[in-house]
Each structure stands twice: as C-alpha cells, then as structure tokens.
Amino acid sequence: MNFRHTAVRLFLSAISGVCAGILPAQAENLDSLLQVLDTCLLNRAHYEEVFQGKALAVKKQAQHAATKEDALKYWDQLSIMEFGRHGDEALSACEKAGALARQLGRYRLAAVVAQREAAVLGMCGFPWEGKALLESAFEDALLRPYLQKSHYTALYDLYDYFHAYDLPSSLLNRNYAFLQTLEDSIRKYETDSTALSLTFHYSTRKVDDMVVLLKRRLEEVRPEVKGVIATTISNKYFLKRDIPLRDYYWALAAIFNIRSARHDNEALTRLAARMVETGDWRRALLYGRAAYEEALTYNSRSRLLETVPVMAATERHVTEEAQKRLRVFRICVLAVLLLAGCMLLVVVKLKRRNRKLVREMALLRRTLDENEKTAGEWRLAVADKNESAMRFLKLALDSVLKFEQMKQLVLMKLEAGESERLKKMLKNPALLDNFKETCLKRFDVAFLRLHPTFLKEVNALLRPECALVLSDTEIMNNELRLLAFLRIGITDSAHIAAILGVSVNTVYCYRTKIRGWANDRKNIERQIADMK
C-alpha cells in the first residue's frame, strides 16, 4: 500500500518554507545500503527517543495553552508530527485540532485536518472510515469550498488502502472503476507535475519523466517526507521492471523512515518480503520483526496483515534449520560414539595383552631361584609393562570422560537455545584434534615402554636405504604407528584411519609404501604382528 499524494501534500502544506534537504551519502550498491539499514535498525530506540521528546513537549504546550488559538496551533502541529509515527496519537490530535478549528471559524484549517484524519484512518487499516469522514466533510457547506481541489485526490489515495485486504473480485473491480472516474477530476484540479507523479496508478505521464521529477523533489523536501518520496520512486522503477533500483529505493526509503521515527514504514515491509524471495533469511527475520513492531507501534492493521506472510515464511525456515541442526547433531554424536568404540577396541586389546603379561610374571617367579639378577630385571620389566597398561587404561578413561563432557556441553547449548553456536563449535576441527593428538602421544609413550626396541626391529625388516628415521621432536610418526597397531592386532584400515585422523586412502598408501620398503613384501605385516 502506497502512502502517496495526500500524505506528501498534507506535510508540505503544513510545513512553512521548503528547506533544501541533503541526501545522506548513498551507498554504491544495494548490499552496502542494506548494511546501513541494519545499523539504523540497531539505533531505532535512539531515533524514537529524540522525536518522542519533541512530540511530548508540543503535547504539553497544547494541553496547557492559554488561548484556544494557541491550543489549535499546537494540536495541529502535533497531528502533523504524529501523522506517520503513532496512529492513535495522530487521530486524537486531529480530532482536537478539528474541533477547535470549527469553534474558531478556521474552516480552511478544519478541512485540511479532516483530510489528514481520513488519511490516518486509512493508514491504520480503516479506509472505509476515512472514506466516510471525507464524504461527510465534503457535504459540509462550511468546509466544501476548501476541499473542492484536493477532495478527489484524497479520495483516490484512500481507495488505494483497500488493496491491503483480500476483497472479492467484484469489489476490487468496482474500486478500480471508481478510481478511473476520479482521474478526470484529479487532472482538472491538480496541475503540478510532481504532485501527479506521486500518484502510483496515475499513468498519463511517462515513467522516466516522473522519476526525474520525484528525484528532484527528494533532494528538496524535509527528512520527514523523504521516505515517502523514495518509496514512490521505487514504485515507478517497478513500473519499469527495474527490480534492482526498486529494491535500492526501498532500502533508501526504509532508512529515511527509521531515522525520522516513522512507523508507517511500507518500504521495510516490502524489503522483508524481498529478503524472503532472495533467501537472505537473516535480514528477512530482522526486517520482518522490525516491520511487525513498527505496525504495532502505529496500530496499523493493514501493515500487520502484510507482515504475516513474511513472518510465516521465516518461521518455516527457522523450523527447517532447526531440523537440519538436529540431524548434524545426531551425526556428530554417531561420530563420537564411533571414536569411543575405537578406543574401547584398543582397551580390549590392551586387556588381552595384560593377561599375557600376567603369565610372563608367573614365569619370572618360577625362575627367581635360578638367577637373582635376571629376576630383578624381570621385575623392572613387569613394572614398566604395568605402567604402560595403566597408561592405556587412563587413555580409555579419558576418552569416556571427554565424550561425557561433550554430551553435557551439547545438552547445555541445546537447552540454552544456542544451537547455531553449537553447530559452529562442532564444525570446528580443533574441537577434538588436540585431544586426539594427546591420545596418540600417550599411545606412543605407552607402546614404546612395552616395546623399546620396536623401531630397531622394524628397520631390520626393511631395506637399509628405506630404514625409518625419526626427528629429534618425534616419538613415533604415522608410518611407525601403523606398524604399532598391526603389532597389537589392529589391522582394519578404517579403524586405523579413524584413530590417526586421516582418510582410509591415506592408510592404504602407508601400507603400500611400507611393503615397498620391506625385504619381504608379501609377509612384512605378518612379520610385524609376530614380533615378540
């Protein structure tokens, strides 16, 4: 719904002296302008506070005016200030100004106020009430001489507000037919080209000419009216099927309206719907909520009706995103369970190894009498192996604890409604990388405590030029870890890839490379597994 010729005419007739306004620095493209709009929305409370303070000051002056003339002046001024800001306040001020104007015989001003009140009724979602008010004023013999020129334009614009409602086709056709009959009367009394251009359905002039006139007017009018002019320009670009420029002037109009604390913000409602079309759901939700709040503030039923489809679309999108995040969460939980399963497999292998160690300890006890020195060495070896077993057990317990901590964290984030933050955190590869690296280092230390000569034994099975050499900062590298897993019975490439944090193809490459280095290509893995 367009806030068109009547709104602008009422503003311009009430404000003495048209000041040359300066347009804000326009952004180079729509996205840059939308960023400016986002910032303006964050400062809405500040803009409202500034204008609300001015309106309250004028209202107090009206309530405590010494004379009826002063009271009329302030109520008329307040009705202009609240025209596009608060519908209830604007109607109340119009009623008081209209009553005082009649009492004082100021019938020209009474006629203007009546048209202003009718326009506010249309903006609030009651165009039929506005129509009844206009017809009543036109029938008043005292007011009619002052309404002769502007009555048809006001009635024309008011009928436009009926378009916000889902009317039967017969009623819509009747309204369009009535609008066509009004055009002749408008052309008879209105000669200003710019004023004619402000009527959306008026098509007797070329669209390009109307755009030029409106852009010129945009640079001249006060900030309170700039949003209306910019919205009308966007409608002209829609007639030209120039969607990018239409959207650009929608955004510009929304910025002007917000900075002027105007709550009848047609452009913001249109932009919210446009963001739904383009899939910019963050802005669709931001603009939709703001447009809904603006409509509630103005008490505009028609604007509330227009925001319903946008809010419904964003709600559906939010629901779909929540379902996607739930699916991602389930996948992550499955991955954690898989990792825990791999760790559990390692624990099982270690338990089996521990039972073997117990048997070796029994053998050591039986040979204690043969050689005390040998027995001491065996006791030391058993202690080292027990320590290694405890390291593996601690590693398994740490894995279980890590899983429990992650589960608690996920539950807390979901209960707090921070699902988006949880999604980003779970996508962060660093979440488990540090823990996985720590686990691998613990495994390296524990395994080499069990098999201190493992590297030497492996190199004995390889060609001399292919011997594995570790740097000063390495305990074990991935090739040596692969052989260590084969040594303790973990042969599944998928399990090894999950533990090392690499792809299965990488594990296959490691195996192929090691077979290429071996003295006995076919039996190298069996030889590793059979090491004592």
Side-chain angles (χ1 to χ4, degrees):
M1 178 172 45
N2 218 358
F3 173 35
R4 300 176 181 82
H5 174 260
T6 299
V8 180
R9 184 182 53 76
L10 289 172
F11 265 108
L12 297 179
S13 63
I15 300 172
S16 60
V18 177
C19 300
I22 300 176
L23 280 173
Q26 295 186 14
E28 295 181 356
N29 52 55
L30 176 62
D31 188 63
S32 299
L33 201 61
L34 291 178
Q35 293 178 23
V36 176
L37 176 57
D38 295 345
T39 303
C40 289
L41 286 174
L42 294 176
N43 296 311
R44 271 195 307 160
H46 170 70
Y47 300 135
E48 176 65 18
E49 182 180 356
V50 171
F51 284 88
Q52 186 67 17
K54 296 178 181 178
L56 287 175
V58 174
K59 188 173 184 179
K60 288 181 181 179
Q61 289 176 314
Q63 292 172 338
H64 300 93
T67 65
K68 288 186 177 181
E69 283 287 349
D70 289 339
L72 172 58
K73 179 182 69 173
Y74 291 126
W75 283 120
D76 180 49
Q77 183 181 351
L78 184 62
S79 69
I80 295 171
M81 294 178 68
E82 297 289 3
F83 187 82
R85 299 181 63 247
H86 300 93
D88 293 342
E89 292 289 338
L91 288 174
S92 176
C94 284
E95 290 173 0
K96 290 181 172 61
L100 285 171
R102 286 175 178 273
Q103 291 177 25
L104 298 172
R106 302 278 298 280
Y107 298 116
R108 180 185 298 276
L109 180 58
V112 172
V113 172
Q115 286 188 325
R116 186 181 303 143
E117 184 177 356
V120 174
L121 285 169
M123 292 158 65
C124 286
F126 299 104
W128 50 89
E129 294 288 342
K131 175 176 176 291
L133 178 61
L134 282 178
E135 291 175 346
S136 175
F138 194 68
E139 292 172 0
D140 191 328
L142 296 174
L143 301 184
R144 185 165 186 168
Y146 307 107
L147 293 172
Q148 191 70 37
K149 179 178 179 180
S150 58
H151 174 70
Y152 298 105
T153 302
L155 194 61
Y156 184 98
D157 289 329
L158 195 61
Y159 259 79
D160 243 4
Y161 289 108
F162 282 98
H163 296 163
Y165 299 93
D166 189 12
L167 298 176
S169 299
S170 59
L171 292 181
L172 285 176
N173 293 335
R174 187 183 68 184
N175 285 349
Y176 277 121
F178 182 67
L179 287 173
Q180 290 176 354
T181 62
L182 289 176
E183 287 189 3
D184 293 334
S185 298
I186 294 172
R187 285 195 294 269
K188 178 179 178 181
Y189 292 105
E190 185 61 76
T191 58
D192 181 68
S193 299
T194 305
L196 291 174
S197 299
L198 285 165
T199 304
F200 178 79
H201 295 292
Y202 198 87
S203 57
T204 59
R205 296 181 60 83
K206 292 182 179 179
V207 176
D208 289 334
D209 295 339
M210 290 190 288
V211 169
V212 172
L213 291 171
L214 289 170
K215 285 184 178 180
R216 186 180 304 157
R217 180 62 61 89
L218 181 63
E219 296 177 354
E220 298 171 349
V221 298
R222 294 174 63 87
E224 295 88 346
V225 192
K226 288 184 183 295
V228 179
I229 304 294
T231 300
T232 309
I233 294 174
S234 71
N235 291 331
K236 302 306 179 186
Y237 277 116
F238 177 73
L239 288 176
K240 296 178 64 176
R241 298 296 186 266
D242 192 337
I243 302 305
L245 277 178
R246 179 203 65 179
D247 296 348
Y248 183 91
Y249 276 91
W250 269 348
L252 194 62
I255 291 172
F256 284 134
N257 288 337
I258 291 170
R259 289 177 175 175
S260 301
R262 292 184 57 83
H263 301 299
D264 182 55
N265 199 338
E266 172 187 358
L268 191 61
T269 306
R270 300 290 181 269
L271 274 176
R274 181 59 176 160
M275 294 301 102
V276 171
E277 293 177 2
T278 59
D280 190 343
W281 293 105
R282 181 188 68 81
R283 284 195 169 108
L285 185 60
L286 177 64
Y287 299 165
R289 285 177 177 173
Y292 180 78
E293 292 169 1
E294 301 274 72
L296 284 178
T297 302
Y298 193 82
N299 198 15
S300 175
R301 290 148 184 80
S302 54
R303 292 279 182 253
L304 289 173
L305 288 174
E306 292 175 6
T307 59
V308 168
V310 176
M311 301 302 289
T314 53
E315 182 180 354
R316 285 195 301 271
H317 176 73
V318 169
T319 301
E320 292 171 359
E321 287 298 307
Q323 293 174 348
K324 290 179 182 178
R325 287 193 291 270
L326 181 59
R327 287 195 293 270
V328 171
F329 169 73
R330 289 173 177 170
I331 292 173
C332 292
V333 170
L334 182 61
V336 172
L337 291 175
L338 181 61
L339 179 60
C342 293
M343 295 300 179
L344 184 61
L345 181 62
V346 173
V347 171
V348 171
K349 294 293 184 179
L350 291 174
K351 286 183 177 180
R352 292 177 181 176
R353 185 65 178 174
N354 193 45
R355 287 195 292 269
K356 183 178 179 181
L357 291 174
V358 171
R359 290 193 295 270
E360 291 177 355
M361 289 174 61
L363 179 61
L364 286 173
R365 285 194 295 270
R366 287 195 297 269
T367 59
L368 182 60
D369 294 337
E370 299 176 293
N371 193 313
E372 186 64 27
K373 182 179 179 180
T374 304
E377 294 175 354
W378 275 108
R379 283 194 295 271
L380 182 59
V382 169
D384 288 342
K385 291 178 180 181
N386 279 336
E387 180 185 350
S388 299
M390 291 304 296
R391 286 177 179 270
F392 281 111
L393 289 175
K394 187 176 185 305
L395 177 61
L397 291 174
D398 285 348
S399 300
V400 173
L401 178 60
K402 185 70 173 180
F403 170 73
E404 184 63 23
Q405 290 173 343
M406 289 183 62
K407 182 181 77 173
Q408 293 299 325
L409 178 60
V410 169
L411 291 175
M412 286 173 62
K413 294 297 183 184
L414 288 177
E415 290 175 358
E418 297 179 358
S419 54
E420 189 65 29
R421 184 176 177 184
L422 175 62
K423 179 179 178 182
K424 292 181 180 178
M425 185 178 65
L426 290 175
K427 284 183 175 181
N428 185 357
L431 182 64
L432 288 176
D433 287 350
N434 292 337
F435 177 72
K436 184 182 295 184
E437 186 64 25
T438 301
C439 291
L440 288 175
K441 288 181 178 179
R442 289 182 179 178
F443 170 82
D444 297 344
V445 173
F447 182 84
L448 291 179
R449 293 295 289 272
L450 284 173
H451 305 282
T453 62
F454 183 69
L455 178 60
K456 182 178 179 181
E457 294 173 2
V458 166
N459 283 335
L461 298 175
L462 304 178
R463 299 199 306 275
E465 67 273 17
C466 298
L468 292 174
V469 179
L470 301 177
S471 67
D472 295 338
T473 59
E474 287 183 317
I475 300 176
M476 296 178 72
N477 58 22
N478 278 353
E479 288 90 350
L480 196 57
R481 286 178 182 138
L482 169 62
L483 296 174
F485 293 147
L486 296 176
R487 174 65 186 84
I488 62 176
I490 301 177
T491 59
D492 189 344
S493 294
H495 287 173
I496 295 172
I499 296 171
L500 291 179
V502 298
S503 67
V504 176
N505 287 336
T506 301
V507 174
Y508 287 148
C509 289
Y510 286 160
R511 286 186 159 184
T512 302
K513 187 190 301 182
I514 292 170
R515 283 195 293 270
W517 293 343
N519 294 320
D520 187 352
R521 291 174 54 89
K522 295 183 179 180
N523 300 313
I524 180 63
E525 292 189 2
R526 181 180 59 77
Q527 290 172 346
I528 295 294
D530 292 341
M531 283 183 181
K532 295 183 180 180

